Amino acid sequence: MGEAGKIIEDHLKKLRVFNGREEFPSSNILYTIVALGIWLGAMHFDAVVVLFSLLFLSPSKALLVFGLLVVFMFIPVDGRSRIGRKLSRYICKHACSYFPVTLHVEDIEAFDPNRAYVFGYEPHSVIPIGVVALADLTGFMPLPKIKILASSAVFFTPFLRHIWTWFGFTPVAKRNFISLLGAGYSCIIVPGGVQETLLMEHESEIAFVQSRKGFVRIAMEMGCPLVPVFCYGQSNVYKWWKPGGKLYLQFSRAIKCPLILFWGIFGSPLPFQNPMHVVVGRPIEFEKTSKPTMEEVNEAHSEFVKALRDLFERHKARVGHANLELKIL
């Protein structure tokens, strides 16, 4: 056995697997449709409300509806709401069982419940649905405090912002990121973000991380280990289409939201029932540095990118994606 084979065998010895369908056997299709409809259908609901108001309501009534939507854009959301958290736990349970989502943790004992970690999750796809396997409400990871960083546009979208806040999502702002790590929360970030969605391809996976180094710097400054994560199959749960051209790219970046058409079963927001496999690598430790140099950041970033690629190659055949190619841009 070569050196590469020994490394793979070593990683597999401590591998822990959580299959959503096996962990939540009480889930059924009716509960799942309701759960996914609430979680993923909120943005479609907003669009339907706007179109219905424009087409079928009088101008005065349409203005009233738009006014209510604006109110829901800005009224405070209690992220600790008991009802909201209970609803989100319901969503996590049935979403994991539906596809199913399977979580593979290479070394679960390497995670200390009393520490904060920075998870670099790839790819973004249309929606990074696979993060549900890492959510604290799902309970697979031995970490009691987890937040998922998302585009600020989400938190100005009526109804969607409520569901995602209860779920554990929070705006991906530098100050917020640092504050959460300081408070002991592990943070999941998709480094490629909106830009990665705009670069998606049908035949391969795209990880837009080569120029994304801010999350690495923050991890070093806060003394938090970096954890590479890859989700196989996530790009197959929706069909999608996006226009081309520089104007489209510039506008999508400006509003911090990818303008992309996507659809699931029968053209609905309900995603196709394709299995997803979320693989979590071992934490990469860095010495805490209050002001890391650019050279130190580059070195740590290169280590993360290599770990992400190695993680992808190490597991792709085992989870049924032997011919899948990963392009790191």
Side-chain angles (χ1 to χ4, degrees), residues 29 32-33 36 44 98-99 236-239 262-274:
I29 191 63
T32 298
I33 291 174
L36 292 175
H44 293 77
Y98 172 73
F99 297 97
N236 300 327
V237 301
Y238 280 118
K239 294 187 182 300
F262 66 95
W263 60 94
I265 296 174
F266 302 124
S268 74
L270 185 66
F272 294 101
Q273 200 170 12
N274 294 324

Side-chain angles (χ1 to χ4, degrees), residues 22-40:
E22 295 174 0
E23 297 291 332
F24 303 114
S26 62
S27 178
N28 64 50
I29 191 63
L30 177 60
Y31 292 158
T32 298
I33 291 174
V34 172
L36 292 175
I38 294 171
W39 180 27
L40 302 172

Side-chain angles (χ1 to χ4, degrees), residues 207-219:
F208 184 69
V209 297
Q210 291 287 21
S211 61
R212 300 300 174 98
K213 302 177 182 180
F215 74 104
V216 176
R217 178 182 290 277
I218 290 174

Side-chain angles (χ1 to χ4, degrees), residues 118-122 187-191 215 226-230 304 308:
V118 176
F119 291 83
Y121 180 101
E122 290 292 339
C187 292
I188 303 168
I189 185 169
V190 184
F215 74 104
L226 273 173
V227 184
V229 182
F230 193 88
F304 171 80
L308 179 67

Side-chain angles (χ1 to χ4, degrees), residues 98-116:
Y98 172 73
F99 297 97
V101 182
T102 302
L103 180 67
H104 309 253
V105 187
E106 285 195 335
D107 188 358
I108 201 164
E109 294 180 2
F111 292 91
D112 182 351
N114 298 312
R115 292 191 71 184

